[in-house]
């Protein structure tokens, strides 16, 4: 009996020593620490680092039954797609990372697809949504989001029609994602019988939108659609208050989802409609609130409602795939493509590069929280009229 006991102890110790001696799993990615996307990209790598800390605190990443600590290898891509391509080449060929995480934004995702395909290196994307992505027919990248401009435009037009909107004004940043959304929302509005009374673009480096918004005010639309990135969303809010845009329906594409935006505008962002399919208020996604609480405890700020949860969803999917398939690229590719994953944003299941388990949704800021308000079967709150500016 004693001999068996000692043998069991020795085996346990050997297993513990082997686990501790296992090489860390090297995971590489590029960060937009500087450049145009720096402000928006912060929450992505906050989500990445929260996940890494959680995994390591639990003993490491489960690699087909063996726990191994996670080590990050990252570089600043300067918000430059060309730089991102160089970085992902280096991560694969020089740094020889075991796994990859995604960069920030649609343009950088598009840029690195060729690298992933050339090296047959699977990666779960996150902060990207473009119809172009569906056309790539890529075998090594997947997108958990449902915020693709064509589908998002149809859903938004249906919501506006339901809110009694008969006319709208559209102001759009000239960057690719906002322009792609514009290209789909214009025909979607027309199909819904909504007249577009203003349709104007502005440059990414714009400093003031008051002149353009004065034109919008004079047109007297029922709704205003501001297709912004986070930085110019601030300009829109300031300009809208200054010129007195009092429309009860106002859409701001990117900006209201971020905690910095809430700190600037407080209750003034209540009633703003925006893109988004995640909220900690979904009762059928209990891990959503767990993530939100953990994020706030770690970073002393609330997660945004788009990038942080999408980034976290991507590592949840990767973690579950690695537990099943290990680090073999072919097995990983097969597992990601053919498995239904549990995430903080509900189930994820891919057909091609798309997550077909997640419907496209429109959200609204209410009481400082983002709620899903459309479509009706997905909502966590009824849409409200935007209150008067304060």
């Amino acid at each position: 009996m004693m001999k068996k006991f000692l043998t069991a102890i020795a085996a346990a110790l050997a297993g513990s020593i082997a686990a501790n001696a296992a090489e860390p799993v090297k995971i590489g990615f590029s960060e937009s620490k500087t450049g145009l996307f720096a402000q928006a990209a912060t929450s992505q790598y906050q989500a990445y680092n929260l996940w890494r800390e959680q995994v390591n605190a639990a003993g490491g990443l489960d690699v087909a039954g063996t726990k191994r600590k996670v080590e990050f290898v990252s570089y600043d891509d300067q918000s430059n797609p060309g730089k991102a391509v160089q970085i992902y080449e280096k991560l694969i060929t020089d740094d020889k990372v075991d796994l990859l995480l995604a960069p920030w934004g649609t343009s950088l995702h598009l840029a690195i697809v060729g690298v992933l395909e050339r090296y047959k290196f699977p990666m779960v994307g996150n902060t990207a949504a473009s119809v172009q992505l569906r056309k790539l027919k890529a075998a090594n990248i997947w997108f958990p989001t449902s915020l693709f401009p064509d589908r998002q435009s149809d859903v938004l037009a249906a919501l506006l029609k339901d809110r009694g909107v008969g006319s709208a004004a559209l102001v759009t940043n000239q960057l690719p994602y906002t322009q792609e959304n514009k290209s789909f929302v214009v025909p979607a509005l027309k199909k819904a019988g909504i007249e577009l009374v203003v349709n104007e673009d502005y440059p990414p480096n714009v400093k003031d939108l008051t002149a353009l918004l004065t034109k919008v005010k004079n047109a007297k639309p029922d709704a205003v659609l501001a297709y912004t990135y986070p930085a110019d969303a601030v300009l829109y809010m300031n300009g809208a208050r200054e010129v007195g845009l009092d429309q009860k329906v106002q859409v701001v594409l990117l900006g209201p989802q971020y905690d910095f935006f809430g700190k600037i505008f407080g209750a003034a962002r209540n009633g703003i409609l925006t893109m988004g399919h995640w909220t900690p208020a979904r009762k059928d996604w209990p891990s959503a609130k767990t993530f939100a609480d953990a994020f706030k405890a770690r970073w002393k700020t609330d997660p945004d409602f788009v990038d942080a949860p999408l980034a976290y969803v991507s590592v949840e999917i990767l973690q579950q795939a690695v537990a099943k398939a290990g680090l073999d690229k072919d097995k990983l590719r097969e597992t990601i493509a053919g498995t239904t994953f549990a995430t903080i944003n509900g189930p994820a299941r891919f057909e091609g590069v798309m997550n077909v388990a997640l419907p496209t949704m429109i959200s609204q800021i209410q009481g400082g929280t983002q709620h899903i308000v459309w479509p009706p079967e997905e909502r966590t709150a009824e849409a409200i009229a935007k209150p008067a500016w304060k």
Side-chain angles (χ1 to χ4, degrees), residues 3 48 70 102 108 121 144-145 157 226-228 291 309 348 355 358:
K3 184 177 180 181
Y48 286 167
V70 169
L108 274 70
F121 205 121
T145 188
Y227 276 19
T228 63
F291 162 73
N355 177 8
L358 185 66

Side-chain angles (χ1 to χ4, degrees), residues 66-126:
T66 300
K67 289 287 188 78
R68 293 170 60 180
K69 293 296 179 75
V70 169
E71 177 183 291
F72 280 169
V73 182
S74 65
Y75 304 95
D76 181 11
D77 58 42
Q78 301 165 21
S79 305
N80 184 323
K83 185 73 172 174
V85 170
Q86 296 172 4
I87 289 171
Y88 280 84
E89 286 264 11
K90 173 177 168 50
L91 289 168
I92 295 170
T93 61
D94 294 346
D95 297 311
K96 300 190 184 303
V97 297
D98 300 299
L99 301 167
L100 290 172
L101 302 183
W104 189 89
T106 298
S107 60
L108 274 70
H109 277 74
L110 282 169
I112 68 167
V113 167
V115 177
L116 303 178
E117 293 299 290
R118 186 159 62 253
Y119 292 99
K120 295 181 171 55
F121 205 121
M123 184 194 83
V124 182
N126 46 61

